[in-house]
Amino acid sequence: MSSKRPAGPQDPPPSSPPSTDTSSSDNDSSSDFEATLQEKRGAQGGPGPRPVPKRPRREPSKDGSSSEENVLYQAVMDGRVAIEVAVDEWLQGYKRDREPAFLELVNFIVRSCGCRGTVTLAMLREQQNTEIIQRLTETFSEDSSDYPLSLSTGPWRRFRASFGAVVTAVALRSRHAILYDGFLLGGLTALLTSLADTQVRAFRHTATLAAMKLMTALVEVALGLSQRRDNTRRLYEAERGKSPPRRAPGKLEALQETLQELQEQQEEIEAVMNAIFKGVFVHRYRDVVPDVRALCMEELGTWMCSFPASFLTDGHLKYLGWTLHDKQGEVRLRCVRALQGLYARRDTAAHMELFTGRFKARLVSMVQDKDPVVAVEVVKLLTVMLDTVAEALTEADCHRVYPAVFCSRRPLATAAGLFLYRSLLSPRHEGDTEPSPGSGDNRTFFRLLLTFFIESELHQHAAYLVDSLWDCAGTQLRDWDTAGGLLLEEAPEEVPPPALSDQQEKALVEILAASAKRAAGEGPPVGRGPPRKAPPKGRRAVTEQRSRLSLCLAPILPRLLAKFSADEEKVTPLLEVLSCFELSVYCTARLERPLEQALAQLQELVQKHTGPEVLGAASRALGALCDPRLPLRGRGELVRSRLGDLLGERCHRLLRLPSLDEEELYSATATLKRLSVLFNAHDLTPWQLFEPCTLLLRRAADTGEVPPQLLVPAITCAHFHILWELSRLANTDVPQEQLLSLKDKTTSFCALCQSCLSNGDAGVREQAFVVLSDLLLVLGPSGTRGAGAALAPLRLVPDVELRSQLAAVLLDHVFSPGDRDGDEPDAAEAHMEDLHRRRMLLAGFCKLIIYNVLEPSAASDVLKYYDKFHAEYGDIIKETLACIRRMDGQEWARVVLLSLQQVMTELLMEHGPGVRGVPAFGGLRDLGRRLSLFFGPRPQPNRQVLLRLHRDGIAFALQEGPEGGSGGDPGGAPLYLPFLEVLSEFSPRLLPPYRALLLNHLQQSCQQLGMTPPERSPWPPLAAYHRSLQPPEPPQKRRRTEETWQGPSPPLSPALTSTVLRVPPGPPWELRVPGPSSVFPSLSVMEEEEEEEEEEEERGGGSSEEAPPQLDQVRDLFDSTVLGIED
């Protein structure tokens, strides 16, 4: 589509103003309206104002202009005077002399457009609207494209609101007399219609806002007139229905005259409303400015809600339906909010059956809208429709909304949770016998929730489901008595429901654990925003909920643990529930027996299971019961001692055996796994597990006969033993003997872990890598300074061999191409777990660099894979480089250059001098291009660093090969010369003075080596690098008119009332594009605005992830007229 080009501050005025053809389809211009109004008033007879011409014409004043200060504009700008007071003063002046007052209102609108021009009385009398606007356009000589309504700062947002309030107040406060004088309303409507049709965005935007606010006020006036007319008609009918003796002729005649007057006023207001709608709204609802389209949709919704008798029609509703396909999220948002107001009322929703049937599919698809705010409002709209037009939403429509409860955006998930509750889980859907929420028995609610959760096939996301339902169904979710009764099958005898299946029990346990964590104050799940700190009132509520949770579940938790003790998937969430208790309740509520039963179940679970998840949950639960602040902590410590004695004695006995059979090997492995998990939360150093574990590791290093499944938990146990001993060391006055003993243990253990880095099992190598990274970090330079100065004798310094071994593990386990897809490429969950494991290894190595355990140059082993593995580890590598840069900018640049040099050397060793022809060299250039982005768009802060990088890079590229001379190149070029092509990727970041310095340095370097000058060099890398250092050419300004129009003179503006050309009619499946002969190239649809729209669309401003059918976008709802709506 194309349209007239708007005349801006830099554009000359059109050669002739756009003409208005009354015989065209757009015959709703202001002149037609005023002519009709003039004929009506002339037919009425009697005294009245003179007929209103195209523009009100008056006798010229003395100076022909208005020099008074614009009180309305000052009131809006200053904000010191109330809008109503300023409008009342203006109305008083209008009653005295309406011409200067109306001129002040006109100049107020012009000034609000950002135009410094002024309309004089002479212009108002002698010129048409189009001539006045053309004159103002010529004086619109602003340097910036901004205007008041386009600014988004606080003062200008208040200006926008005040501007609309002035227009509204003018109409409302003159509703009793002045509004019907045939001068104010007609003149203002004609002015706004003409301004809204101009090509200047500031005029068009401001006039559209004023027209929409005026229309809203007129709707309120028309509604009041309609109510007064109905009341008067009832009085008239009541008076006429009286018998002749009781009838008052004078009163009846007065009522009839009042009714006639109200009818005339109603018709006049409706005529003006119709003129504004057809002259402004019909064209501006598809304006190229998104804000104009948005305010049109917002005001249309207001009209429909305020005066449904006139506006709640299919002819008006279709505009809301069409604009649901708008490509700007703000416009779609205004449409959805307007529909919310309509569907919220049953009387208006009942008249929208055709609209609902036509656009329901679009509304349901907008649940997946790219704009999260729009998606949230759409779900709220569908929730409102459940209450008023529930029969319109089918089961299939609801099932398209349900998955949103599991999305990562919490506002959308919460809105979808309310929709799920109202449509599926609400008690009102289950008959009169269903108990109300909070009554203590919500068995039906839980059964419906379990059915939905199982059918959704997202069984590992119970926390997200609970979080989505927490705001609307929190009372039911906190009914832990009912949930526990369902799990224990303790249903009431009079209503015996069927027992839960195994899958339902597992789902209910997960939901119970998630609700307990939520009630205990745990924040939203991962991905739904950062945890929020509860206010004091919220903390009191959390304490009360935890106490209630403890009182409900503490008595039955031992029975639940006993029932599901053999199922790891069920018992793990139940153990996590124990950590959410207010454990002091065991003492205050005299629950010693349930506490003893729970501890007995914990001990049995630790002895029965070997899985890390269930053991970890049991260890954390036991740690909570051993808290020194608990009165009954002694009972938990007793169970911990029993477990330590049992497992420690078994570990010592089994590891001392010279050889293990199959049964002993299984027992030893299970024992070490249990101890390694318990060691994480409990101090087990009194059981002296370090010595047998290190003996096992030494045997593996010497003989290699120890099974890998024993080595991994043994490394973990020895590691935690050292960490617990370090935690018991005081900051000062540490005995020297204790330090020496701990240093010997640490040194010997690190040596054993270093030997495990070359073990044949991948799990052993990774565990040794993680343990060494942690110990080097704790006992490195950062951990032994300041508060840890007492640990200075224990400082560990990695040698060269250890550094190379750590880098080798990274290469094998993190940057190995074979491991990127994992062993099971079809299993997404396995791939994500493998990626998480590899990211943990890389993060451990990068922390050693950040905390100065390893030199910054070690980062080159990571940085050279930045381009190849950017999707997997890009964030970790960027953060590492940022930390190095903050410590030392010069060292950071050397690391960047060193990583490129290492890759270049590897390529030369693999491919020889012809490295430029291999694809891997293109990857090296891509790496250089990506690393150059770290220097930012502003070269000033990095000028010295960049200069140093280029100089060192030139020296590296021009050095002699390892064999001397050209390194085997028959052309005589240096072996590393192709590196200059990589270095040229950093040239655009240089300032012009430094380009000249580097050019001089390059020429001197070539001259010293006896090489041809760079500008005449036969070697492409040297010539390319020389060209990259040349000063950039200044950008040339583009003249659009010269590029698009080649004719002898610019064409005239097309005679249209809209700035957008209509698409010619055609088949609904094919949109015809006007050819070159039918388009005015130099005036093609406000080019600057279209480019801004395209840039926003490229940044992700699409309408919806799921595009509706094309036929729905281009066909009219009721008359099948082809529209020019872009989706």
Side-chain angles (χ1 to χ4, degrees):
M1 297 185 297
S2 60
S3 72
K4 300 183 294 184
R5 183 183 178 187
Q10 72 279 7
D11 298 331
S15 56
S16 63
S19 61
T20 304
D21 188 2
T22 58
S23 63
S24 64
S25 59
D26 296 322
N27 57 356
D28 45 22
S29 63
S30 58
S31 58
D32 297 334
F33 159 72
E34 292 182 8
T36 305
L37 186 63
Q38 177 180 348
E39 294 176 1
K40 288 179 55 180
R41 289 209 168 266
Q44 294 177 9
R50 64 174 182 270
V52 182
K54 177 68 179 179
R55 269 294 349 153
R57 304 180 186 274
R58 284 169 281 254
E59 295 297 328
S61 58
K62 295 181 180 180
D63 55 355
S65 64
S66 177
S67 59
E68 298 179 2
E69 182 183 7
N70 199 311
V71 179
L72 295 176
Y73 186 79
Q74 292 298 325
V76 171
M77 287 297 297
D78 296 341
R80 300 176 182 176
V81 181
I83 298 299
E84 293 78 4
V85 175
V87 171
D88 289 342
E89 293 179 357
W90 178 84
L91 288 175
Q92 294 297 328
Y94 183 86
K95 292 177 181 179
R96 292 191 298 269
D97 191 349
R98 64 185 184 183
E99 291 181 344
F102 184 78
L103 180 63
E104 181 182 359
L105 181 62
V106 171
N107 283 319
F108 162 70
I109 296 175
V110 173
R111 287 287 303 276
S112 300
C113 296
C115 178
R116 297 295 181 180
T118 303
V119 180
T120 62
L121 283 175
M123 295 171 57
L124 205 62
R125 295 190 184 111
E126 300 170 1
Q127 297 180 4
Q128 299 293 323
N129 282 335
T130 54
E131 296 173 348
I132 294 175
I133 296 173
Q134 182 177 352
R135 180 70 177 274
L136 292 174
T137 302
E138 295 174 358
T139 60
F140 204 108
S141 57
E142 300 297 322
D143 297 332
S144 173
S145 61
D146 294 335
Y147 52 96
L149 295 188
S150 68
L151 303 176
S152 59
T153 57
W156 292 112
R157 287 198 299 268
R158 291 191 293 270
F159 173 87
R160 177 187 182 123
S162 301
F163 175 77
V166 168
V167 178
T168 303
V170 167
L172 293 180
R173 292 188 169 270
S174 61
R175 72 172 76 182
H176 299 295
I178 299 177
L179 197 62
Y180 313 103
D181 65 353
F183 179 81
L184 173 62
L185 193 56
L188 184 59
T189 303
L191 173 67
L192 295 179
T193 303
S194 299
L195 281 175
D197 198 47
T198 184
Q199 295 176 345
V200 181
R201 177 186 293 192
F203 287 157
R204 194 173 68 253
H205 190 175
T206 309
T208 303
L209 175 61
M212 296 298 101
K213 293 298 182 182
L214 177 62
M215 181 78 163
T216 302
L218 293 179
V219 167
E220 184 177 348
V221 173
L223 182 61
L225 290 174
S226 178
Q227 295 174 351
R228 290 176 57 194
R229 187 185 60 184
D230 294 341
N231 295 336
T232 304
R233 182 181 291 108
R234 283 194 296 270
L235 292 176
Y236 176 78
E237 295 295 338
E239 187 67 26
R240 194 178 62 175
K242 295 179 181 180
S243 59
R246 299 180 58 188
R247 185 183 305 166
K251 183 178 180 180
L252 190 64
E253 184 178 354
L255 288 174
Q256 187 174 6
E257 293 178 358
T258 303
L259 188 61
Q260 180 68 22
E261 181 182 2
L262 291 175
Q263 180 69 26
E264 294 174 357
Q265 292 177 353
Q266 179 83 11
E267 293 176 356
E268 181 177 345
I269 294 297
E270 290 182 353
V272 176
M273 289 164 52
N274 186 51
I276 295 177
F277 187 84
K278 291 184 178 181
V280 180
F281 178 87
V282 169
H283 305 306
R284 298 281 67 80
Y285 88 95
R286 53 182 179 174
D287 196 277
V288 294
V289 181
D291 191 39
V292 174
R293 304 197 299 269
L295 69 91
C296 286
M297 293 300 106
E298 182 180 13
E299 297 302 324
L300 178 61
T302 304
W303 308 336
M304 291 180 177
C305 293
S306 301
F307 202 0
S310 295
F311 289 96
L312 193 61
T313 63
D314 296 337
H316 294 88
L317 283 170
K318 63 183 179 182
Y319 296 105
L320 287 176
W322 290 339
T323 319
L324 288 174
H325 299 276
D326 196 277
K327 63 182 180 180
Q328 294 295 328
E330 183 63 25
V331 182
R332 301 194 302 275
L333 179 64
R334 302 289 180 89
C335 293
V336 172
R337 287 178 174 170
L339 291 174
Q340 287 177 357
L342 295 175
Y343 278 107
R345 298 165 51 183
R346 295 185 181 274
D347 56 339
T348 57
H351 293 81
M352 300 176 65
E353 295 181 359
L354 182 59
F355 177 88
T356 304
R358 176 63 179 82
F359 293 103
K360 181 188 66 174
R362 172 59 181 167
L363 290 174
V364 174
S365 68
M366 289 177 68
V367 175
Q368 301 177 4
D369 198 279
K370 289 184 177 180
D371 192 331
V373 181
V374 176
V376 171
E377 296 299 325
V378 168
V379 176
K380 291 181 179 179
L381 170 61
L382 296 175
T383 306
V384 171
M385 294 174 64
L386 285 175
D387 296 332
T388 55
V389 287
E391 65 281 356
L393 294 178
T394 64
E395 185 177 355
D397 297 331
C398 295
H399 280 284
R400 296 185 64 182
V401 183
Y402 292 158
V405 298
F406 297 103
C407 73
S408 59
R409 296 192 290 264
R410 192 174 189 275
L412 178 58
T414 304
L418 179 59
F419 180 87
L420 172 65
Y421 179 74
R422 294 279 182 84
S423 62
L424 187 63
L425 308 177
S426 179
R428 65 184 179 86
H429 294 282
E430 300 300 324
D432 298 334
T433 60
E434 178 66 25
S436 61
S439 62
D441 189 4
N442 295 288
R443 306 177 67 84
T444 305
F445 168 81
F446 279 109
R447 289 183 179 273
L448 292 173
L449 182 61
L450 291 177
T451 302
F452 166 76
F453 186 42
I454 293 173
E455 291 178 353
S456 66
E457 299 181 354
L458 295 171
H459 305 156
Q460 297 182 358
H461 300 286
Y464 293 87
L465 177 61
V466 170
D467 183 64
S468 301
L469 294 171
W470 192 255
D471 294 340
C472 59
T475 304
Q476 289 88 336
L477 292 172
R478 290 190 294 269
D479 190 358
W480 297 296
D481 293 326
T482 301
L486 284 172
L487 289 173
L488 294 174
E489 298 183 353
E490 295 179 355
E493 296 181 357
E494 60 274 8
V495 185
L500 298 178
S501 64
D502 181 74
Q503 194 175 16
Q504 287 178 326
E505 288 178 346
K506 178 179 177 296
L508 183 55
V509 167
E510 293 179 358
I511 292 174
L512 175 64
S515 63
K517 293 178 183 178
R518 196 71 170 82
E522 186 174 312
V526 178
R528 287 196 176 174
R532 298 183 298 270
K533 187 176 180 180
K537 185 177 180 181
R539 288 195 290 269
R540 289 194 298 270
V542 168
T543 303
E544 294 175 358
Q545 290 180 3
R546 292 186 63 181
S547 300
R548 180 174 169 270
L549 171 68
S550 305
L551 292 174
C552 291
L553 294 183
I556 65 173
L557 183 61
R559 298 166 58 191
L560 292 173
L561 293 175
K563 179 179 179 180
F564 304 116
S565 61
D567 194 335
E568 291 188 4
E569 293 183 347
K570 297 177 184 177
V571 76
T572 302
L574 291 175
L575 291 173
E576 293 175 352
V577 170
L578 181 59
S579 302
C580 301
F581 285 176
E582 184 67 37
L583 297 176
S584 60
V585 171
Y586 279 110
C587 180
T588 57
R590 298 185 178 277
L591 299 175
E592 291 86 355
R593 183 172 178 79
L595 176 60
E596 293 179 355
Q597 294 174 348
L599 288 171
Q601 290 297 326
L602 279 177
Q603 183 176 350
E604 181 181 350
L605 290 173
V606 172
Q607 297 176 11
K608 181 183 297 186
H609 294 280
T610 58
E613 293 184 358
V614 62
L615 288 177
S619 176
R620 291 189 294 271
L622 182 58
L625 293 173
C626 296
D627 192 340
R629 295 171 295 182
L630 291 179
L632 301 177
R633 64 182 180 276
R635 305 184 185 222
E637 293 174 352
L638 179 60
V639 172
R640 181 173 61 186
S641 300
R642 291 174 181 173
L643 286 173
D645 293 339
L646 176 64
L647 298 176
E649 187 275 331
R650 187 183 303 171
C651 178
H652 281 279
R653 178 175 55 83
L654 292 175
L655 296 185
R656 288 173 183 171
L657 297 177
S659 61
L660 300 175
D661 57 17
E662 185 176 353
E663 184 178 353
E664 292 172 343
L665 176 61
Y666 174 80
S667 178
T669 303
T671 301
L672 282 176
K673 285 183 178 179
R674 296 184 182 107
L675 286 171
S676 63
V677 176
L678 288 175
F679 233 142
N680 189 14
H682 304 273
D683 185 5
L684 302 183
T685 53
W687 284 269
Q688 300 298 324
L689 299 174
F690 181 80
E691 183 178 355
C693 291
T694 53
L695 289 176
L696 185 65
L697 295 177
R698 187 170 292 109
R699 186 191 310 172
D702 295 339
T703 64
E705 298 177 354
V706 180
Q709 59 266 31
L710 277 178
L711 292 178
V712 173
I715 293 174
T716 305
C717 287
H719 176 222
F720 282 126
H721 185 97
I722 292 177
L723 293 181
W724 278 110
E725 287 197 5
L726 288 174
S727 66
R728 290 201 304 268
L729 292 179
N731 293 333
T732 58
D733 300 333
V734 180
Q736 192 68 20
E737 296 80 4
Q738 187 177 358
L739 285 177
L740 292 178
S741 174
L742 187 55
K743 183 175 180 60
D744 292 340
K745 289 182 180 180
T746 305
T747 305
S748 61
F749 177 66
C750 288
L752 292 173
C753 290
Q754 185 174 352
S755 66
C756 291
L757 292 176
S758 57
N759 191 279
D761 185 76
V764 175
R765 293 197 301 271
E766 291 182 2
Q767 185 64 23
F769 182 91
V770 172
V771 169
L772 282 174
S773 300
D774 290 345
L775 286 178
L776 289 175
L777 188 63
V778 173
L779 300 177
S782 299
T784 55
R785 289 198 300 260
L791 303 179
L794 304 178
R795 178 177 298 178
L796 294 177
V797 180
D799 54 10
V800 178
E801 182 181 0
L802 179 57
R803 297 174 189 173
S804 61
Q805 286 182 318
L806 293 175
V809 172
L810 280 184
L811 179 61
D812 295 338
H813 294 265
V814 178
F815 298 115
S816 176
D819 295 339
R820 293 185 68 183
D821 297 331
D823 297 332
E824 299 177 345
D826 297 333
E829 184 177 355
H831 174 70
M832 292 303 298
E833 291 179 356
D834 181 67
L835 177 61
H836 177 70
R837 175 183 56 81
R838 291 183 280 123
R839 284 174 59 88
M840 292 291 291
L841 295 176
L842 179 61
F845 183 82
C846 291
K847 283 192 292 186
L848 297 179
I849 300 173
I850 294 173
Y851 289 98
N852 295 322
V853 178
L854 299 178
E855 295 179 355
S857 59
S860 61
D861 296 328
V862 175
L863 191 56
K864 59 186 178 182
Y865 299 103
Y866 177 63
D867 181 66
K868 188 176 181 180
F869 292 88
H870 179 266
E872 292 88 347
Y873 318 121
D875 54 340
I876 299 176
I877 299 176
K878 284 193 292 187
E879 183 62 26
T880 304
L881 281 181
C883 293
I884 298 175
R885 186 176 186 175
R886 287 193 291 267
M887 291 187 294
D888 189 348
Q890 294 290 342
E891 187 65 29
W892 165 69
R894 283 193 291 268
V895 170
V896 172
L897 182 61
L898 179 60
S899 62
L900 296 173
Q901 292 173 350
Q902 288 179 353
V903 179
M904 184 69 191
T905 303
E906 294 172 1
L907 291 178
L908 288 173
M909 293 177 63
E910 183 178 356
H911 301 283
V915 69
R916 295 181 64 246
V918 300
F921 186 75
L924 176 58
R925 293 200 60 174
D926 292 339
L927 175 61
R929 185 179 303 111
R930 193 178 288 273
L931 292 178
S932 67
L933 299 177
F934 285 106
F935 291 89
R938 295 182 301 171
Q940 288 84 357
N942 306 311
R943 51 187 183 273
Q944 296 294 339
V945 175
L946 274 172
L947 185 62
R948 179 66 179 271
L949 184 143
H950 277 271
R951 286 182 174 178
D952 294 345
I954 292 172
F956 174 77
L958 299 181
Q959 67 178 333
E960 296 182 354
E963 302 296 334
S966 62
D969 190 348
L975 181 63
Y976 297 96
L977 190 65
F979 187 75
L980 289 178
E981 293 189 20
V982 182
L983 198 61
S984 64
E985 302 293 343
F986 297 85
S987 298
R989 309 289 173 177
L990 289 167
L991 291 171
Y994 291 96
R995 291 173 182 256
L997 286 175
L998 287 174
L999 280 173
N1000 187 26
H1001 176 71
L1002 181 62
Q1003 292 176 354
Q1004 292 179 1
S1005 300
C1006 293
Q1007 184 178 3
Q1008 292 175 2
L1009 296 176
M1011 299 169 59
T1012 307
E1015 61 271 11
R1016 293 184 287 106
S1017 175
W1019 300 323
L1022 183 58
Y1025 182 64
H1026 181 268
R1027 287 194 302 270
S1028 70
L1029 294 178
Q1030 297 296 328
E1033 297 181 0
Q1036 296 181 357
K1037 295 184 177 180
R1038 183 178 61 177
R1039 298 183 62 186
R1040 293 176 179 150
T1041 302
E1042 294 181 358
E1043 292 179 3
T1044 57
W1045 179 255
Q1046 303 297 333
S1049 60
L1052 298 178
S1053 302
L1056 297 173
T1057 59
S1058 173
T1059 58
V1060 180
L1061 290 177
R1062 293 183 179 271
V1063 177
W1069 59 85
E1070 179 182 4
L1071 290 178
R1072 278 191 266 166
V1073 180
S1077 61
S1078 62
V1079 178
F1080 297 93
S1082 63
L1083 300 174
S1084 59
V1085 192
M1086 302 181 66
E1087 296 176 4
E1088 293 181 0
E1089 298 166 349
E1090 281 192 332
E1091 289 181 357
E1092 294 174 3
E1093 300 284 345
E1094 292 172 359
E1095 292 175 359
E1096 293 176 1
E1097 187 174 2
E1098 291 176 358
R1099 292 193 295 265
S1103 63
S1104 177
E1105 294 178 358
E1106 181 179 348
Q1110 192 178 33
L1111 180 63
D1112 296 344
Q1113 304 171 24
V1114 299
R1115 185 178 287 276
D1116 191 312
L1117 175 58
F1118 303 105
D1119 56 8
S1120 301
T1121 303
V1122 176
L1123 290 179
I1125 295 179
E1126 297 181 2
D1127 187 37

